[in-house]
């Protein structure tokens, strides 16, 4: 199938923001104005294209990222609408990993909110160029200037206002384009046709002042332009756009636009900005990977159909109608139906089955997906999120996607024997889909434990299990995922495992040391043996024994983390040594080392932001202090509200929503996201350990 658009005319972008900033409404307007839909969908009415799941429509929130394709002025735009709730942060992370650019939507009343910061940092991590859209300019308390200032201060970005709003709050009716110096109005209710007009006389002086400021800032990005500017020469709009485009792609600047998606104002200039400033696949550097057999060898692939094929699988979906769908981004070459490819992450060959282009939950069959494009494939049995698919003759391994660890757990048990097998299958398929959802069986209690990113996350999982897979289950109370670690180094643990039975015995002898690590480092294993005191073939078994032992700690059976284990020495027996013997020896040595390292219990600490009416501030601060909160700061917000930022242990946040509502007559709201693990205070530790 021939390519419909040249690579230079393709844009792979994501819409990212805090919950309730208006991402899905903005996406709906983009689809409407590009001719992909013929009516305006509403989040409140549950009629949007990208929020297609029943749970999304009932709750009015985005839960899974949805991919759609649209066309604007001869350009193809592959668009992913991502969730804003922190519980579904993995959806944002994996989308940003494969996108070339992003539109960050801000609520013009609230400015930068907690999840805005999180998604901004995720975009920083993957070097995703961005443009900003200050939405909800028609709401009481909206301020374009305050939004720009909060982007500069809280995100450390370089925002460049490209427009000036005409009117504010209820009187917001249009914008002034600061490059072309034209006023743009939307006069019909659907906002189909922007009307271009001269700038109102009472705003001309302000518009000229703003334009002079942004021309100077854009000129600073290019030596030729700064010379022109200093010489007092006129710089053309094309030159300004070209310089700004380069600065955006280099992540040196972020153009900011404004509008009201719900009132159908400001979307067409935003689409123009996607084309003018965000990169095509050819504008970004070639993708880098490694040789699967030699991680030191760096391989590059240019975004071209003629290069060897390589693609990254960024999402798995268990579709009840068609089976297992794997979403992928093609970085080079073509993915063609029926061809055999290599999954270099797992060293397995897979045959490409039916290929589809996704439009939210609808599928359009295609025979191939070309470089720079996003598609999905059915029938891959052994491919998971973060895996690389590549040409068998030209293997390459791309960087995978890392996800945060789950912080909250509940026990689930089937209501009937018939539900038992169905539940196991449902949980397996849901865990394949969502890398932040984990399932394990607790041998001590005989319970199935599911873990996720928050109460809402697990609510949705259980709801999907009951609806999509028809499994009836009872759910226990939420439990916190504590961790264990050591608080002091253990210079040497000498453990010898000897088991003599009839015939061949078992012999494994290891000497290890343990050291505490900074938070968030997990378990690190270092082999410092010399002179072959332990044959190299037994080292992986020793590491495996340590990692398995770390899954259940010595205080209360919680996983051990943030420990560096160094293998110093040991010995072996020519006949009796085996992988199993060394694995057992390492496991016992590790447990003994943890016991000697003054083990401590760690608990997840959440970053919480509470938006509260000023009159209720004292009560809310009292509630937070009672929940062991560490208040980080407060700042006033429009409408007599105060934003309180605090660090609070997750264990203290259960039931907080109800308490906050009753203290603020339902006006207070809060957002919460995982921040770090910290030692549990002694008084709380005694209660947990009983």
């Amino acid at each position: 199938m021939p390519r419909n658009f040249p690579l230079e005319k393709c844009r792979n972008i994501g819409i990212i923001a805090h919950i309730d900033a208006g991402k899905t409404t903005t996406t709906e307007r983009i689809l409407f104005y590009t001719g992909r839909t013929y009516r305006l969908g509403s989040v409140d009415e549950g009629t949007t294209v990208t929020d297609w799941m029943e749970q999304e429509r009932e709750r009015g929130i985005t839960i899974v990222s949805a991919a759609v394709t649209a066309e604007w002025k001869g350009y193809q735009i592959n668009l992913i609408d991502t969730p804003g709730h922190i519980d579904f942060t993995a959806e944002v992370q994996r989308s940003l990993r494969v996108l070339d650019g992003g539109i960050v939507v801000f609520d013009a009343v609230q400015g930068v909110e907690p999840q805005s910061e999180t998604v901004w940092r995720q975009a920083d991590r993957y070097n995703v160029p961005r443009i900003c859209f200050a939405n909800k300019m028609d709401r009481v308390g909206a301020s374009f200037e305050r939004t720009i200032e909060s982007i500069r201060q809280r995100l450390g970005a370089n925002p460049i206002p490209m427009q000036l709003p005409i009117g504010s709050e209820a009187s917001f009716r249009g914008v002034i384009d600061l490059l072309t110096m034209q006023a743009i109005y939307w006069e019909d209710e659907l906002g189909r046709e922007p009307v271009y007009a001269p700038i109102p006389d009472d705003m001309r002086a302000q518009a000229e002042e703003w334009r002079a400021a942004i021309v100077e800032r854009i000129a600073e990005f290019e030596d030729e332009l700064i010379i022109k500017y200093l010489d007092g020469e006129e710089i053309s709009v094309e030159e300004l756009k070209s310089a700004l485009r380069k600065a955006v792609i280099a992540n040196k600047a972020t153009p900011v636009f404004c509008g009201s998606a719900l009132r159908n104002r400001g979307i067409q200039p935003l689409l123009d900005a996607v084309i003018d400033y965000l990169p095509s696949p050819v504008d970004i550097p070639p993708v880098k990977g490694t040789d699967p057999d030699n991680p030191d060898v760096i391989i590059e692939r240019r975004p071209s159909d003629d290069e060897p094929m390589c693609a990254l699988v960024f999402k798995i979906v268990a579709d009840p109608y068609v089976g297992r769908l794997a979403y992928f981004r093609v970085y080079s070459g073509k993915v063609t139906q029926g061809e055999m490819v290599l999954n270099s992450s797992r060293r397995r060959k897979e045959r490409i089955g039916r290929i589809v282009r996704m439009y939210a939950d609808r599928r359009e069959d295609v025979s191939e997906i070309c470089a720079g494009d996003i598609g999905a494939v059915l029938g891959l049995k052994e491919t998971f999120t973060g895996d690389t698919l590549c040409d068998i003759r030209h293997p390459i391994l791309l960087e995978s996607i890392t996800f945060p660890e789950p912080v909250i757990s509940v026990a689930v048990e089937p209501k009937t024997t018939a539900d038992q097998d169905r539940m196991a299958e449902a949980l397996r398929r849901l865990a394949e889909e969502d890398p932040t959802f984990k399932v394990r069986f607790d041998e001590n209690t005989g319970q199935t434990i599911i873990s996720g990113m928050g109460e809402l996350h697990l609510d949705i999982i259980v709801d999907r299990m009951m609806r999509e897979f028809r499994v009836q289950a009872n759910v226990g109370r939420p439990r916190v995922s504590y961790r264990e670690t050591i608080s002091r180094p253990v210079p040497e643990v000498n453990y010898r495992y000897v088991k003599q039975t009839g015939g061949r015995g078992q012999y494994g002898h290891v000497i290890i040391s343990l050291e505490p690590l900074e938070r968030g480092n997990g378990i690190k294993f270092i082999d410092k043996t010399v002179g072959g005191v332990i044959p190299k073939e037994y080292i992986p078994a020793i590491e495996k024994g340590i990692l398995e032992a770390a899954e259940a700690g010595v205080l209360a059976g919680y996983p051990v983390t943030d420990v560096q284990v160094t293998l110093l020495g040991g010995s072996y027996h020519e006949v009796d040594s085996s992988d199993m013997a060394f694995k057992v020896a390492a496991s016992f040595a590790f447990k003994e080392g943890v016991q000697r390292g003054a083990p401590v219990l760690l608990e997840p600490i959440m970053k919480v932001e509470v938006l509260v009416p000023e009159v209720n501030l004292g009560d809310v601060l009292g509630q937070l202090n009672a929940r062991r909160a560490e208040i980080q700061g407060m700042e006033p917000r429009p409408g007599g509200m105060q934003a309180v930022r605090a660090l609070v242990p997750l264990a203290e946040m259960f039931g907080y929503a109800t308490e906050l509502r009753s203290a603020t007559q339902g006006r207070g709201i809060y957002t919460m996201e995982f921040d770090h693990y910290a030692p549990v205070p002694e008084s709380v530790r005694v209660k947990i350990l009983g």
Side-chain angles (χ1 to χ4, degrees):
M1 188 182 79
R3 179 188 281 285
N4 295 330
F5 293 85
L7 260 179
E8 297 76 21
K9 294 203 166 187
C10 290
R11 300 287 184 272
N12 293 314
I13 63 165
I15 297 200
I16 57 176
H18 184 89
I19 191 168
D20 249 6
K23 292 179 305 304
T24 302
T25 305
T26 303
T27 306
E28 281 299 313
R29 298 315 182 256
I30 287 172
L31 294 176
F32 181 70
Y33 297 129
T34 55
R36 283 308 304 251
T37 56
Y38 301 99
R39 59 171 178 75
L40 290 171
S42 162
V43 173
D44 295 335
E45 293 168 16
T47 55
T48 59
V49 171
T50 52
D51 283 357
W52 53 269
M53 283 172 65
E54 287 176 40
Q55 291 87 346
E56 293 178 312
R57 293 185 165 174
E58 286 170 4
R59 290 169 166 84
I61 60 170
T62 303
I63 292 168
V64 294
S65 53
V68 290
T69 302
E71 186 184 330
W72 181 252
K73 295 185 178 177
Y75 284 76
Q76 176 180 307
I77 300 174
N78 295 321
L79 184 70
I80 295 184
D81 177 28
T82 64
H85 200 287
I86 187 63
D87 283 17
F88 311 109
T89 189
E91 290 288 322
V92 185
Q93 195 132 327
R94 58 178 160 199
S95 300
L96 286 171
R97 171 67 179 82
V98 296
L99 291 171
D100 301 330
I103 300 174
V104 189
V105 183
F106 296 96
D107 180 334
V109 179
Q110 304 296 343
V112 174
E113 297 174 271
Q115 184 65 0
S116 317
E117 287 191 53
T118 304
V119 297
W120 192 273
R121 305 285 172 241
Q122 287 172 322
D124 278 345
R125 183 173 172 218
Y126 292 119
N127 291 317
V128 176
R130 281 144 276 177
I131 59 177
C132 297
F133 181 58
N135 191 24
K136 305 190 180 184
M137 286 298 298
D138 58 318
R139 282 186 55 203
V140 175
S143 167
F144 187 51
E145 291 179 57
R146 192 177 58 243
T147 301
I148 289 169
E149 194 50 39
S150 68
I151 292 170
R152 182 179 290 111
Q153 287 189 351
R154 290 189 66 175
L155 303 177
N158 180 19
I160 297 183
M162 304 304 292
Q163 297 171 337
L164 185 60
I166 302 173
S168 64
E169 300 181 349
S171 64
F172 173 71
R173 60 191 188 281
V175 298
I176 294 169
D177 184 324
L178 293 173
L179 285 190
T180 61
M181 290 300 275
Q182 282 182 301
I184 310 172
Y185 299 96
W186 287 268
E187 292 178 348
D188 65 308
E189 197 175 320
L190 293 176
R192 282 179 195 273
E193 293 300 325
V195 176
Y196 293 85
I199 295 171
D201 292 339
D202 61 334
M203 294 190 72
R204 178 160 288 279
Q206 188 188 2
E208 284 174 354
E209 183 189 327
W210 280 47
R211 187 181 198 275
I214 70 160
V215 167
E216 182 183 355
R217 289 175 63 192
I218 294 171
E220 286 173 0
F221 296 123
E222 285 200 4
D223 293 344
E224 289 172 26
L225 294 191
I226 198 72
I227 291 166
K228 261 190 168 184
Y229 177 80
L230 293 171
D231 290 345
E233 290 180 45
E234 184 66 30
I235 301 173
S236 71
V237 171
E238 280 64 38
E239 286 176 313
L240 289 169
K241 280 187 176 179
S242 170
L244 183 56
R245 176 181 175 78
K246 288 175 191 167
V248 171
I249 292 170
N251 271 311
K252 290 178 181 173
T254 313
V256 188
F257 299 82
C258 64
S260 169
L262 191 63
R263 299 277 172 262
N264 313 314
R265 292 170 191 158
I267 302 301
Q268 292 93 337
L270 188 66
L271 279 165
D272 291 341
V274 166
I275 288 161
D276 288 341
Y277 305 118
L278 289 180
S280 71
V282 295
D283 292 318
I284 57 172
V287 68
K288 288 184 179 178
T290 58
D291 184 329
D293 297 320
N294 186 354
D296 296 330
V297 176
I298 305 295
I299 303 170
E300 286 192 351
R301 291 273 192 273
R302 290 182 305 105
S304 162
D305 296 348
D306 303 325
E307 288 262 311
M309 188 277 285
C310 84
L312 185 77
V313 174
F314 65 95
K315 181 172 174 172
I316 300 290
V317 174
D319 191 297
Y321 302 107
V322 295
R324 199 168 177 272
L325 260 178
Y327 284 69
F328 59 88
R329 156 78 191 261
V330 185
Y331 284 99
S332 63
K334 296 177 182 177
V335 174
T336 309
Q337 192 169 324
E339 77 171 324
M340 189 69 82
V341 299
L342 173 69
N343 178 336
S344 57
S345 306
R346 298 177 192 276
R347 297 174 186 266
R348 298 287 174 90
K349 290 179 183 176
E350 293 258 36
R351 186 171 294 281
I352 298 293
R354 182 178 158 203
I355 300 177
V356 291
R357 190 184 288 284
M358 295 303 295
Y359 183 68
D361 60 331
R362 300 206 294 279
R363 293 166 292 276
E364 172 194 331
D365 281 285
V366 292
S367 59
E368 65 182 15
I369 298 282
C370 300
D373 221 337
I374 290 171
V377 59
L378 285 150
L380 299 184
K381 301 265 188 312
E382 298 186 50
T383 298
F384 297 88
T385 300
D387 286 0
T388 303
L389 299 178
C390 61
D391 188 317
I392 292 174
R393 296 178 300 280
H394 302 91
I396 183 175
L397 182 61
L398 302 177
E399 182 196 349
S400 190
I401 312 171
T402 53
F403 296 101
E405 283 296 309
V407 294
I408 185 170
S409 306
V410 296
V412 290
E413 54 186 41
K415 284 191 175 173
T416 66
T417 317
D419 286 317
Q420 179 84 47
D421 292 339
R422 283 211 303 272
M423 186 178 91
E425 175 62 13
L427 292 176
R428 184 187 66 77
R429 287 172 66 179
L430 289 167
E432 270 186 18
E433 260 188 51
D434 185 348
T436 57
F437 171 61
K438 298 276 195 290
V439 184
R440 68 181 174 85
F441 184 73
D442 190 324
E443 292 180 357
N444 298 324
T445 61
Q447 291 178 307
T448 300
I449 307 294
I450 60 173
S451 306
M453 298 306 293
E455 289 180 89
L456 177 62
H457 186 195
L458 294 181
D459 273 355
I460 299 290
I461 291 282
V462 171
D463 192 31
R464 286 187 63 193
M465 189 171 74
M466 291 176 175
R467 288 194 202 187
E468 291 174 29
F469 298 95
R470 310 252 182 308
V471 175
Q472 295 303 310
N474 296 318
V475 182
R477 284 192 64 240
R479 298 195 318 173
V480 177
S481 291
Y482 292 99
R483 295 282 186 272
E484 296 179 20
T485 191
I486 57 173
S487 57
R488 65 175 180 226
V490 181
E492 186 179 298
V493 181
N494 193 329
Y495 193 90
R496 197 183 303 265
Y497 175 67
V498 184
K499 193 170 184 188
Q500 203 59 51
T501 53
R504 187 176 166 182
Q506 295 283 353
Y507 181 91
H509 172 213
V510 295
I511 302 169
I512 61 171
S513 68
L514 278 66
E515 287 175 59
L517 288 174
E518 292 274 316
R519 296 285 165 262
N521 276 302
I523 299 288
K524 283 194 176 170
F525 175 76
I526 298 172
D527 173 22
K528 280 197 179 171
T529 54
V530 288
V533 291
I534 299 175
K536 287 291 176 200
E537 64 262 29
Y538 296 134
I539 304 298
I542 293 171
E543 184 176 3
K544 193 176 179 187
I546 286 165
L547 293 176
E548 284 184 10
E551 287 172 15
V554 299
L555 287 174
Y558 293 109
V560 179
T561 187
D562 304 335
V563 176
Q564 179 173 297
V565 183
T566 307
L567 179 61
L568 303 171
S571 62
Y572 72 102
H573 189 278
E574 289 283 357
V575 178
D576 292 350
S577 285
S578 65
D579 281 353
M580 180 55 72
F582 274 104
K583 186 177 156 189
V584 172
S587 174
F588 280 119
F590 179 78
K591 284 188 174 172
E592 185 184 316
V594 172
Q595 279 173 332
R596 283 163 47 186
V600 292
L601 203 59
L602 301 174
E603 64 180 345
I605 304 294
M606 312 304 282
K607 187 161 66 176
V608 177
E609 181 162 307
V610 188
L611 204 59
V612 55
E614 212 153 330
V615 290
N616 306 119
L617 183 60
D619 293 343
V620 170
L621 287 175
Q623 285 179 351
L624 287 169
N625 286 327
R627 291 173 180 266
R628 296 196 282 131
E630 182 188 320
I631 308 295
Q632 300 278 290
M634 290 180 279
E635 61 183 69
R637 291 283 171 86
M641 303 292 274
Q642 282 279 348
V644 181
R645 291 197 306 279
L647 294 174
V648 192
L650 174 63
E652 304 289 346
M653 288 303 292
F654 296 131
Y656 180 61
T658 312
E659 193 178 295
L660 179 64
R661 284 191 201 113
S662 61
T664 59
Q665 290 84 48
R667 291 173 66 200
I669 55 169
Y670 79 98
T671 54
M672 175 173 80
E673 61 182 280
F674 173 72
D675 192 73
H676 66 281
Y677 271 94
V680 174
E682 188 57 36
S683 57
V684 181
R685 181 173 177 257
V686 170
K687 281 186 201 167
I688 296 168
L689 301 180

